[in-house]
Amino acid sequence: MKSIEDYPQQSLRIAVAQAASVSGDIPENVRRAAAMIEEAARGDARLVVFPEKYLTGYVPEIIAADPERYALARGDERLEPIRQACREHGIAAIVGAPTREGGDLYISSIVIDPSGADLHVSHKAHLFHSEKEVFKSDDKRTLLKIGDWTIGLGICYDAGFPEHSRLLAQAGCHVYLVSSLFSKGMGYQESRVWFPARALDNTVYAVMANHAGKTGVWDACGGSAVWDPYGRLIVEASESEPEVIFAELEPGLLREARASEQMLADSAGLPQPEAIVAVLAGGDERP
């Protein structure tokens, strides 16, 4: 496990693909992803991240009806154009997709490295209530190394649970990177509270990749973005258009923020309460 005092020495340029997904059309979504990977590489990014379940769209009903067709397996040959794009341009990609392992379905991030190899599949830990009927959760945490940067992965609803990012930060991550689907209305509000808070709570860069336009029954709010370790917005995508945005992550700012804001350091070794005591207005106490 890395120390929270270990810092990268070089800056890291990343790309966020705010992508429009065609529901159920994996080949078309793969083709679009490969084109956005090329665009990210032309912008000198070393890593590009896509939204949650991008390769099928957010359509759990069709995935549940035909898992063999719509859920991807490890080494799935349908990903070959994405692998080829990563290999050709020397860039890593994190692609959201439903996956299957044995008889279980997961909401996952597939990590493909710059050589085009399938590096890892990371699963969503915290399922939204409607997802629990179809998918399984996974309490494992994923740390990804890009150069001397350590990146902690999350998927959408994970970001609403502060302990998810805190465990990754305590394990040494510098960036909390989350593939998401946030819709217009309360979804936008959640994203604008959760991600700046997770960034400042843990003095990490926070990255959110969202869908553009409609996906399944959801009307996504766009607004993919990157926040700095103080929780300040660095760059933000449009409300509705597919686009690739870029951010330069600076180790000096990470070091400065952690010297100034001590919440992460002070969280180490905190005792856990043995019981909760409710103190009533009349002065009585009850366990």
Side-chain angles (χ1 to χ4, degrees):
M1 181 181 297
K2 290 174 63 69
S3 164
I4 63 171
E5 296 180 356
D6 290 338
Y7 296 101
Q9 300 302 308
Q10 306 293 326
S11 63
L12 175 67
R13 187 165 174 81
I14 65 166
V16 182
Q18 179 166 288
S21 182
V22 181
S23 293
D25 193 340
I26 294 174
E28 174 60 17
N29 294 328
V30 165
R31 185 193 68 78
R32 294 182 182 191
M36 296 184 95
I37 290 167
E38 180 179 356
E39 182 179 349
R42 286 201 307 268
D44 295 325
R46 296 182 62 187
L47 169 70
V48 57
V49 57
F50 286 82
E52 178 183 23
K53 285 200 285 193
Y54 166 69
L55 289 184
T56 57
Y58 196 96
V59 281
E61 64 280 4
I62 70 168
I63 297 161
D66 194 349
E68 293 239 352
R69 179 178 180 183
Y70 292 110
L72 286 83
R74 290 180 186 269
D76 200 301
E77 64 183 21
R78 290 173 290 182
L79 291 176
E80 191 53 37
I82 291 177
R83 297 186 189 103
Q84 176 60 33
C86 290
R87 188 161 49 243
E88 181 177 343
H89 300 290
I91 185 173
I94 298 172
V95 185
T99 64
R100 56 186 171 89
E101 294 182 9
D104 295 323
L105 294 173
Y106 295 89
I107 298 171
S108 308
S109 290
I110 300 172
V111 183
I112 299 174
D113 75 11
S115 74
D118 291 10
L119 185 63
H120 184 69
V121 179
S122 179
H123 302 315
K124 192 171 187 176
H126 297 282
L127 297 177
F128 196 60
H129 62 84
S130 59
E131 296 168 341
K132 294 178 181 179
E133 299 174 2
V134 177
F135 300 100
K136 287 196 67 172
S137 62
D138 187 337
D139 62 1
K140 297 182 181 69
R141 303 289 186 267
T142 296
L143 291 172
L144 172 67
K145 292 287 294 182
I146 299 288
D148 54 1
W149 286 80
T150 302
I151 298 170
L153 301 187
I155 300 176
C156 201
Y157 202 39
D158 289 339
F161 296 82
E163 63 273 17
H164 187 271
S165 56
R166 175 53 55 85
L167 286 171
L168 289 165
Q170 288 174 332
C173 93
H174 309 119
V175 184
Y176 186 49
L177 186 147
V178 181
S179 298
S180 301
L181 166 62
F182 287 100
S183 59
K184 293 179 179 178
M186 195 59 198
Y188 183 82
Q189 171 68 6
E190 287 170 348
S191 71
R192 266 48 201 172
V193 172
W194 292 355
F195 287 95
R198 300 298 83 84
L200 179 58
D201 286 349
N202 301 298
T203 46
V204 295
Y205 285 93
V207 180
M208 187 272 283
N210 197 19
H211 286 259
K214 292 272 289 185
T215 179
V217 301
W218 302 95
D219 193 2
C221 64
S224 301
V226 181
W227 292 263
D228 77 8
Y230 289 105
R232 301 176 301 203
L233 184 66
I234 298 174
V235 61
E236 181 177 25
S238 70
E239 179 181 320
S240 59
E241 295 304 312
E243 60 182 302
V244 178
I245 59 173
F246 297 88
E248 198 84 22
L249 311 187
E250 298 291 349
L253 186 58
L254 186 71
R255 184 184 294 272
E256 174 193 302
R258 291 192 175 180
S260 172
E261 305 299 325
Q262 296 287 317
M263 290 85 75
L264 178 60
D266 290 343
S267 72
L270 284 178
Q272 299 299 312
E274 294 183 4
I276 303 297
V277 176
V279 181
L280 307 181
D284 296 330
E285 294 183 355
R286 64 185 184 192

